[in-house]
Each structure stands twice: as C-alpha cells, then as structure tokens.
Amino acid sequence: MRVILSTGILSLLVAVSGFSDNSVRRFKDGFLFGTASAAYQVEGAWNEDGKGQSVWDHHFHSDPELWSAPGDVASDSYHNYKRDVEMLRELGVDVYRFSISWTRVLPGGFSSMKNEPGLQYYDSLIDELLKHNIQPMVTMYHFDLPMVLQHLGGWANPYSIEWFEDYARVLFDRYASKVKYWITINQPNSVCEVENFENHLPKSTKGVMDYLCAKHVLLAHARTYRMYEKEYKKKYGGSVGISISVNWAEPATNTTENVEAAEIYREFTYGMYLNPIWSKSGDFPKLVKDRVAKKSKEQGFVRSRLPSLTKDDIKLIKGSADFLGLNHYTTFLTSPSKGGHPVPSFADDVSVDLTTKEEWKQSHSAWLKSAPYGLYKACLHLNKRYDYPTIFITENGWSTDKGLQDPSRSEYIQQYLKALLFAIEDGTEVLGYIYWSLMDNVEWMAGTSERFGLYEVDFDSPERTRTARQSALVYKRIIQKRVVEEGWKPNNLKITVSKVKTEL
Ligand code: NOJ
C-alpha cells in the first residue's frame, strides 16, 4: 500500500468544484497517447480474400428485411489502412490499438486452416505503423467470434478455452516479434452480459450462459497470458493485458439500499473479471458467489448457476495480466431495481436500476453522458480495492452526429484527461490513454448513426473519405503540449503529418 498525500484534498476539490484548481499538470514523458478501432467496426471486406463469417456477419445477414449489413464495407480499412496510418501520423500518436478479425486469419475458427492473405493484411498494417514509429497494440478478440464456433455453443463451451489459446498462438507466432502490446479479450463483461446493459450479441440462455462465458473467457485469457509468459516473453519482452469495461457507478442518493446497489452493480459488472485477476485472494467476488447461489437455490436449481473456479483455476488466473486495460466512458447512479427482469437472468441477479444526472451533457448515444469525475473515482476505487494495478486506458470516447465541428467531443476529451491527471497525481499508475475511436465506424446495432471518430468517415462515398474533425486538432495539441488547455480551439481544420518516419 502506498501513502498518497493529496487524496483527501483532491477528493474534496473534485466533489466541490469539479477539478477547478489552477496548477498546471502534465503528462510525463513516456506516457503513451493513442487511438483505437476494432476489426468488424472498420475493416469491411467481410468476405474478401478467404475471410470466414463471424457472429456479426451472420447476425446482420440473417434477416435482410430487417438489417442492412453495415460491417460489409464499414470504413473499408481493409483497403484504406495506409490512409489510417497517415491519420495517426497527423495526430502524432504513439500507439494504435486495433483488433484482429479471428475469421480473417482462421476462416473456420480452428487453427488447422490459416488464411495467408488475412495474415498478410495485418503484417502490412503492423509494418506500416512501425515504419512511422507507432506502436501496434493488438486486441485478439473484439466481439467477432467465428460463426462456426458459435454453432458449437461459443463461450459457453469449455473447449472455447482451447480454441482461443490455439488462435492466440497463431498470432504470437506470427506477430510477437513486432507487437509489444497485446490485449486478449475486449470487454468480457459485454461479451458475457449479452442480454442486458450493452446489447452487443445475439440472444443467450439467460442467467446461465453469462456465467459459463465468464469462467471460460477468464480461463482463455489466463492460459494465453501464461503461454506468452512461458514461451514468448523472454524473447520479445512484450506485455499482455485484458480490457474491461469499467464505467463508474455510485449511489443515486446516500441511502443504505442505494449504496448497496452500487456495490452489487460494480461487483457483478466488473468485479467478476477484476477480482479473479487482481485481488489477493483471486476467484469471483464473494458478493457475486453468495447472491447467485442464493437466487439459484430459490429458483430450484440443484447448484449455483455461477460455476465455481477450482484451486488450480484460481491460481492460473490470479496475476495473469501485465496491465489492466480500462474502457471507461461514463457514470451511472444506482438504486435497487423495481423488478421486471426475466427470471432467471443476469439482470435479475443484479437487480439494480441505473439513472444519470439531468445536468450531465448527453452524447449522440442514449447510454453515454459526460461525467468526468467518474473516471477519477473509478481509478481511486481500483487502487483501493486492487492495490494500485497498472492501468492503460484502452478506450474513452464520445459520440456525435455527422459534422466536422464537434466541440462536445473536444470538451469531453479535455475534461476526461484532466480527471485522469488528477487520478495520476493521487497515485494511479497509468501507462497511457487511448481515445475511441480514430474514425467513425460501425457502432454495432446502432450502425453508423453514432459517430465516435476524431475523423469523420463519409459512408456515402465509395472511397470512405476520411476528414479530420475539430477534436482531432484538439487531441493533437494535447499530445504535443502534454497539458490540457481547457477551451483551446484550432483556427482552422488543417492537419498535417507530425510523426517522423523511422528506419526499420
Ligand atoms: C466499447 C467497445 O469496445 C467498442 O466496440 C464500442 O464501439 C465502444 N464501446 C462505444 O460503444
């Protein structure tokens, strides 16, 4: 445990004046700035050069009456990756986080059949990044499970642990000499909580599949981490983490029930993944184990719907990450649920209602409002509970409508980075910050209607033309100056390359 001198004072400042303190705080040298994307959301080329079908390809093609398939072309990064890297050079970022499409490299899901053109695509992207001194951060799995594996039960099947491990080995063998930052799985809490808070995946078997998924995803992650540790780390010296969605949750008002609801919500949505990896004892949180066991019994189940982790599982998972990838967007206020959830279900197990404050600025996504102090509070919570884990902010972002003038995004970035500087000052170990997203893309079920990009993508043009928004210049300025100048605006939207080419 460390002694942090300024916590009390800063917490007070945060609560009372919303970070209004005049000292200038800097991001120290070595702090990494980046932007992110994910394969399904940007690549397009959904069936080109031997790529197989993912659950998302399948989902959007399953009812052509109902869906257009926004990911078929998406931002067409498969053909535009050089322009993407040029944009990263314009921003002057240190890191680009992107994901590999499992079915582009292993079209049938299993490692028995590799797709060379797919593997080459990522070689080209990685080489282009390195040529310009930008570190690739590779997410191995960002929601796009091979459909073949979904037919076999997906993450509910215990063999999913091996399928993922085999896939991960293909990626390490091919790219470990060039990639130093790895993320095994993006937002396991969204992958597994399919039916409730984020609506990211096709329907599940409620209240059972979620927990099978949680167990298998954790084991798949841990086995991959141990494989890297044993077979690759010494030679290549990279690091492996996992990205968890950690939006802050606090009581709507200070009643005992609301305080309890906040703890329940936090433990079920992220404690489930953080506790097994970062706590001293490992395993799922006690609160979750007790609550699901009690409900399962009442519902007539012979055993808890939450599968247990064995002693060996707990040992394998504990400490299996070099950094905690934090995906943080917003804050929610908690109170006990008024009911109405299917029984059994994850939502019923949690039974917490979420609200927000009227005065928080609304983005173009219904679930996303700006409450920057939440990032500060989330960091302090993690420090206290998990003894100062090393954090990489792997996502933080804001959605708008179309248009190049996006003052609300600039303000969001400035305020969240300011909150992050406070969290760092109060002892949080942060390696870097990655803005979601480099460019507009397919926001899953919302299609292209919610724009998260620093660059606008013209989805009506065959070239998917990219143009820098005002916020791109604001972010560039922060990266250059390493301070947040609140209210700073560019005079025009001209952006030029600032990243120097390196010799390989
Ligand atoms: C988190 C997910 O990782 C990403 O795919 C999504 O686009 C953003 N949140 C915004 O919703």
mmCIF file of all heavy atoms in Angstrom, residues 38 41 97 142-143 186-187 190 198 200 327 329 365 367 395 436 441-444 450 452, ligand 1:
data_model
loop_
_atom_site.group_PDB
_atom_site.id
_atom_site.type_symbol
_atom_site.label_atom_id
_atom_site.label_comp_id
_atom_site.label_asym_id
_atom_site.label_seq_id
_atom_site.Cartn_x
_atom_site.Cartn_y
_atom_site.Cartn_z
ATOM 1 N N ALA A 38 -11.728 -1.380 -34.062
ATOM 2 C CA ALA A 38 -11.878 -2.828 -33.967
ATOM 3 C C ALA A 38 -12.260 -3.367 -35.337
ATOM 4 O O ALA A 38 -12.932 -2.681 -36.125
ATOM 5 C CB ALA A 38 -12.948 -3.201 -32.950
ATOM 6 N N GLN A 41 -15.749 -3.249 -36.859
ATOM 7 C CA GLN A 41 -16.262 -1.884 -36.923
ATOM 8 C C GLN A 41 -15.650 -1.051 -38.050
ATOM 9 O O GLN A 41 -16.254 -0.081 -38.480
ATOM 10 C CB GLN A 41 -16.058 -1.206 -35.565
ATOM 11 C CG GLN A 41 -16.871 -1.887 -34.476
ATOM 12 C CD GLN A 41 -16.696 -1.235 -33.119
ATOM 13 O OE1 GLN A 41 -15.835 -1.643 -32.347
ATOM 14 N NE2 GLN A 41 -17.491 -0.230 -32.812
ATOM 15 N N ARG A 97 -4.353 1.092 -31.281
ATOM 16 C CA ARG A 97 -4.983 -0.152 -30.831
ATOM 17 C C ARG A 97 -5.993 -0.586 -31.900
ATOM 18 O O ARG A 97 -6.915 0.168 -32.217
ATOM 19 C CB ARG A 97 -5.701 0.086 -29.491
ATOM 20 C CG ARG A 97 -6.464 -1.129 -29.039
ATOM 21 C CD ARG A 97 -7.207 -0.945 -27.725
ATOM 22 N NE ARG A 97 -7.970 -2.152 -27.474
ATOM 23 C CZ ARG A 97 -9.211 -2.214 -27.037
ATOM 24 N NH1 ARG A 97 -9.867 -1.099 -26.728
ATOM 25 N NH2 ARG A 97 -9.819 -3.357 -26.882
ATOM 26 N N HIS A 142 -12.370 -8.937 -30.357
ATOM 27 C CA HIS A 142 -13.218 -7.780 -30.072
ATOM 28 C C HIS A 142 -14.632 -8.091 -30.573
ATOM 29 O O HIS A 142 -15.072 -7.566 -31.599
ATOM 30 C CB HIS A 142 -12.636 -6.533 -30.748
ATOM 31 C CG HIS A 142 -13.167 -5.236 -30.217
ATOM 32 N ND1 HIS A 142 -12.356 -4.248 -29.691
ATOM 33 C CD2 HIS A 142 -14.416 -4.743 -30.138
ATOM 34 C CE1 HIS A 142 -13.091 -3.217 -29.322
ATOM 35 N NE2 HIS A 142 -14.357 -3.484 -29.595
ATOM 36 N N PHE A 143 -15.297 -9.003 -29.913
ATOM 37 C CA PHE A 143 -16.711 -9.366 -30.128
ATOM 38 C C PHE A 143 -17.014 -10.246 -31.351
ATOM 39 O O PHE A 143 -18.152 -10.669 -31.520
ATOM 40 C CB PHE A 143 -17.628 -8.129 -30.240
ATOM 41 C CG PHE A 143 -17.581 -7.174 -29.083
ATOM 42 C CD1 PHE A 143 -18.009 -5.855 -29.235
ATOM 43 C CD2 PHE A 143 -17.146 -7.571 -27.831
ATOM 44 C CE1 PHE A 143 -17.986 -4.962 -28.174
ATOM 45 C CE2 PHE A 143 -17.121 -6.686 -26.759
ATOM 46 C CZ PHE A 143 -17.543 -5.378 -26.928
ATOM 47 N N ASN A 186 -11.521 -8.128 -25.491
ATOM 48 C CA ASN A 186 -12.114 -6.819 -25.236
ATOM 49 C C ASN A 186 -13.438 -6.964 -24.506
ATOM 50 O O ASN A 186 -14.335 -7.676 -24.959
ATOM 51 C CB ASN A 186 -12.364 -6.071 -26.548
ATOM 52 C CG ASN A 186 -12.969 -4.698 -26.299
ATOM 53 O OD1 ASN A 186 -12.336 -3.842 -25.694
ATOM 54 N ND2 ASN A 186 -14.209 -4.496 -26.724
ATOM 55 N N GLN A 187 -13.549 -6.282 -23.388
ATOM 56 C CA GLN A 187 -14.791 -6.204 -22.617
ATOM 57 C C GLN A 187 -15.498 -7.549 -22.428
ATOM 58 O O GLN A 187 -16.628 -7.726 -22.907
ATOM 59 C CB GLN A 187 -15.741 -5.179 -23.252
ATOM 60 C CG GLN A 187 -15.198 -3.785 -23.201
ATOM 61 C CD GLN A 187 -16.197 -2.677 -23.504
ATOM 62 O OE1 GLN A 187 -15.832 -1.524 -23.494
ATOM 63 N NE2 GLN A 187 -17.445 -2.978 -23.743
ATOM 64 N N SER A 190 -19.002 -7.284 -21.553
ATOM 65 C CA SER A 190 -20.036 -7.086 -22.581
ATOM 66 C C SER A 190 -20.261 -8.374 -23.351
ATOM 67 O O SER A 190 -21.386 -8.680 -23.749
ATOM 68 C CB SER A 190 -19.625 -6.000 -23.573
ATOM 69 O OG SER A 190 -19.221 -4.857 -22.894
ATOM 70 N N GLU A 198 -25.596 -3.823 -22.611
ATOM 71 C CA GLU A 198 -24.965 -3.287 -23.814
ATOM 72 C C GLU A 198 -25.520 -3.832 -25.125
ATOM 73 O O GLU A 198 -25.205 -3.312 -26.179
ATOM 74 C CB GLU A 198 -23.449 -3.485 -23.742
ATOM 75 C CG GLU A 198 -22.855 -2.647 -22.622
ATOM 76 C CD GLU A 198 -21.532 -2.029 -22.983
ATOM 77 O OE1 GLU A 198 -21.256 -1.881 -24.176
ATOM 78 O OE2 GLU A 198 -20.791 -1.700 -22.065
ATOM 79 N N HIS A 200 -24.831 -6.240 -27.158
ATOM 80 C CA HIS A 200 -23.837 -6.424 -28.205
ATOM 81 C C HIS A 200 -23.957 -7.719 -28.989
ATOM 82 O O HIS A 200 -23.403 -7.844 -30.051
ATOM 83 C CB HIS A 200 -22.423 -6.388 -27.606
ATOM 84 C CG HIS A 200 -21.880 -4.999 -27.526
ATOM 85 N ND1 HIS A 200 -21.224 -4.529 -26.434
ATOM 86 C CD2 HIS A 200 -21.902 -3.992 -28.406
ATOM 87 C CE1 HIS A 200 -20.865 -3.288 -26.636
ATOM 88 N NE2 HIS A 200 -21.267 -2.939 -27.831
ATOM 89 N N ASN A 327 -11.634 0.411 -20.144
ATOM 90 C CA ASN A 327 -12.524 1.079 -21.096
ATOM 91 C C ASN A 327 -13.526 1.857 -20.262
ATOM 92 O O ASN A 327 -14.376 1.260 -19.594
ATOM 93 C CB ASN A 327 -13.250 0.064 -21.978
ATOM 94 C CG ASN A 327 -12.308 -0.625 -22.967
ATOM 95 O OD1 ASN A 327 -11.112 -0.354 -22.982
ATOM 96 N ND2 ASN A 327 -12.851 -1.505 -23.783
ATOM 97 N N TYR A 329 -16.242 5.171 -20.108
ATOM 98 C CA TYR A 329 -16.979 6.171 -20.898
ATOM 99 C C TYR A 329 -17.830 7.111 -20.059
ATOM 100 O O TYR A 329 -17.972 8.278 -20.382
ATOM 101 C CB TYR A 329 -17.908 5.476 -21.900
ATOM 102 C CG TYR A 329 -17.193 4.882 -23.085
ATOM 103 C CD1 TYR A 329 -16.572 3.642 -23.007
ATOM 104 C CD2 TYR A 329 -17.117 5.574 -24.294
ATOM 105 C CE1 TYR A 329 -15.905 3.091 -24.093
ATOM 106 C CE2 TYR A 329 -16.456 5.031 -25.393
ATOM 107 C CZ TYR A 329 -15.848 3.792 -25.284
ATOM 108 O OH TYR A 329 -15.189 3.263 -26.365
ATOM 109 N N SER A 365 -25.359 8.992 -28.165
ATOM 110 C CA SER A 365 -25.750 7.631 -27.772
ATOM 111 C C SER A 365 -26.550 7.740 -26.484
ATOM 112 O O SER A 365 -26.118 8.427 -25.546
ATOM 113 C CB SER A 365 -24.521 6.760 -27.503
ATOM 114 O OG SER A 365 -23.604 6.852 -28.563
ATOM 115 N N TRP A 367 -26.932 5.916 -23.969
ATOM 116 C CA TRP A 367 -26.310 5.466 -22.715
ATOM 117 C C TRP A 367 -25.133 6.331 -22.264
ATOM 118 O O TRP A 367 -24.620 6.141 -21.165
ATOM 119 C CB TRP A 367 -25.797 4.020 -22.881
ATOM 120 C CG TRP A 367 -24.811 3.879 -24.018
ATOM 121 C CD1 TRP A 367 -25.117 3.658 -25.327
ATOM 122 C CD2 TRP A 367 -23.385 4.000 -23.958
ATOM 123 N NE1 TRP A 367 -23.967 3.614 -26.092
ATOM 124 C CE2 TRP A 367 -22.891 3.826 -25.275
ATOM 125 C CE3 TRP A 367 -22.463 4.246 -22.932
ATOM 126 C CZ2 TRP A 367 -21.525 3.883 -25.590
ATOM 127 C CZ3 TRP A 367 -21.109 4.297 -23.247
ATOM 128 C CH2 TRP A 367 -20.647 4.111 -24.553
ATOM 129 N N GLU A 395 -9.844 2.564 -23.805
ATOM 130 C CA GLU A 395 -10.945 3.247 -24.507
ATOM 131 C C GLU A 395 -11.532 4.339 -23.628
ATOM 132 O O GLU A 395 -11.727 4.140 -22.425
ATOM 133 C CB GLU A 395 -12.094 2.281 -24.859
ATOM 134 C CG GLU A 395 -11.839 1.390 -26.032
ATOM 135 C CD GLU A 395 -13.057 0.563 -26.425
ATOM 136 O OE1 GLU A 395 -14.200 1.071 -26.350
ATOM 137 O OE2 GLU A 395 -12.848 -0.602 -26.796
ATOM 138 N N TRP A 436 -11.219 6.390 -28.131
ATOM 139 C CA TRP A 436 -12.097 5.639 -29.026
ATOM 140 C C TRP A 436 -12.988 6.621 -29.770
ATOM 141 O O TRP A 436 -13.800 7.272 -29.126
ATOM 142 C CB TRP A 436 -12.984 4.652 -28.242
ATOM 143 C CG TRP A 436 -13.864 3.882 -29.191
ATOM 144 C CD1 TRP A 436 -15.087 4.262 -29.662
ATOM 145 C CD2 TRP A 436 -13.553 2.642 -29.832
ATOM 146 N NE1 TRP A 436 -15.562 3.332 -30.559
ATOM 147 C CE2 TRP A 436 -14.637 2.327 -30.675
ATOM 148 C CE3 TRP A 436 -12.466 1.756 -29.779
ATOM 149 C CZ2 TRP A 436 -14.666 1.174 -31.460
ATOM 150 C CZ3 TRP A 436 -12.507 0.618 -30.555
ATOM 151 C CH2 TRP A 436 -13.607 0.338 -31.382
ATOM 152 N N ASN A 441 -17.195 4.622 -37.365
ATOM 153 C CA ASN A 441 -17.224 3.203 -37.717
ATOM 154 C C ASN A 441 -18.600 2.623 -37.410
ATOM 155 O O ASN A 441 -19.536 3.363 -37.107
ATOM 156 C CB ASN A 441 -16.115 2.469 -36.946
ATOM 157 C CG ASN A 441 -16.206 2.700 -35.454
ATOM 158 O OD1 ASN A 441 -17.250 2.469 -34.846
ATOM 159 N ND2 ASN A 441 -15.124 3.167 -34.841
ATOM 160 N N VAL A 442 -18.703 1.309 -37.471
ATOM 161 C CA VAL A 442 -19.982 0.653 -37.208
ATOM 162 C C VAL A 442 -20.146 0.485 -35.704
ATOM 163 O O VAL A 442 -19.433 -0.296 -35.090
ATOM 164 C CB VAL A 442 -20.038 -0.731 -37.898
ATOM 165 C CG1 VAL A 442 -21.348 -1.443 -37.561
ATOM 166 C CG2 VAL A 442 -19.873 -0.584 -39.396
ATOM 167 N N GLU A 443 -21.056 1.248 -35.137
ATOM 168 C CA GLU A 443 -21.295 1.160 -33.701
ATOM 169 C C GLU A 443 -22.312 0.032 -33.445
ATOM 170 O O GLU A 443 -23.426 0.257 -33.006
ATOM 171 C CB GLU A 443 -21.753 2.531 -33.165
ATOM 172 C CG GLU A 443 -22.092 2.616 -31.695
ATOM 173 C CD GLU A 443 -20.985 2.190 -30.742
ATOM 174 O OE1 GLU A 443 -19.826 2.033 -31.155
ATOM 175 O OE2 GLU A 443 -21.293 1.992 -29.557
ATOM 176 N N TRP A 444 -21.912 -1.160 -33.789
ATOM 177 C CA TRP A 444 -22.692 -2.373 -33.572
ATOM 178 C C TRP A 444 -24.144 -2.193 -34.018
ATOM 179 O O TRP A 444 -24.400 -1.806 -35.137
ATOM 180 C CB TRP A 444 -22.540 -2.829 -32.103
ATOM 181 C CG TRP A 444 -21.085 -2.929 -31.745
ATOM 182 C CD1 TRP A 444 -20.380 -2.130 -30.894
ATOM 183 C CD2 TRP A 444 -20.116 -3.855 -32.284
ATOM 184 N NE1 TRP A 444 -19.042 -2.504 -30.859
ATOM 185 C CE2 TRP A 444 -18.857 -3.552 -31.689
ATOM 186 C CE3 TRP A 444 -20.163 -4.912 -33.205
ATOM 187 C CZ2 TRP A 444 -17.691 -4.264 -31.995
ATOM 188 C CZ3 TRP A 444 -19.001 -5.623 -33.508
ATOM 189 C CH2 TRP A 444 -17.804 -5.299 -32.899
ATOM 190 N N GLU A 450 -24.129 6.590 -34.844
ATOM 191 C CA GLU A 450 -23.431 7.207 -33.704
ATOM 192 C C GLU A 450 -21.958 7.312 -34.066
ATOM 193 O O GLU A 450 -21.279 6.309 -34.235
ATOM 194 C CB GLU A 450 -23.651 6.363 -32.437
ATOM 195 C CG GLU A 450 -25.111 6.324 -32.033
ATOM 196 C CD GLU A 450 -25.404 5.354 -30.879
ATOM 197 O OE1 GLU A 450 -24.475 4.943 -30.171
ATOM 198 O OE2 GLU A 450 -26.591 5.010 -30.721
ATOM 199 N N PHE A 452 -18.164 8.152 -33.351
ATOM 200 C CA PHE A 452 -17.183 8.297 -32.271
ATOM 201 C C PHE A 452 -15.831 8.813 -32.766
ATOM 202 O O PHE A 452 -14.879 8.940 -32.004
ATOM 203 C CB PHE A 452 -16.954 6.942 -31.572
ATOM 204 C CG PHE A 452 -18.014 6.577 -30.574
ATOM 205 C CD1 PHE A 452 -19.202 5.970 -30.976
ATOM 206 C CD2 PHE A 452 -17.839 6.834 -29.219
ATOM 207 C CE1 PHE A 452 -20.188 5.628 -30.049
ATOM 208 C CE2 PHE A 452 -18.811 6.497 -28.284
ATOM 209 C CZ PHE A 452 -19.992 5.893 -28.703
HETATM 210 C C1 NOJ B 1 -16.741 -0.276 -26.257
HETATM 211 C C2 NOJ B 1 -16.480 -1.245 -27.362
HETATM 212 O O1 NOJ B 1 -15.261 -1.901 -27.118
HETATM 213 C C3 NOJ B 1 -16.461 -0.597 -28.746
HETATM 214 O O2 NOJ B 1 -16.500 -1.620 -29.685
HETATM 215 C C4 NOJ B 1 -17.625 0.371 -28.874
HETATM 216 O O3 NOJ B 1 -17.696 0.905 -30.164
HETATM 217 C C5 NOJ B 1 -17.456 1.464 -27.842
HETATM 218 N N1 NOJ B 1 -17.538 0.872 -26.542
HETATM 219 C C6 NOJ B 1 -18.523 2.551 -27.924
HETATM 220 O O4 NOJ B 1 -19.747 2.000 -27.627
#
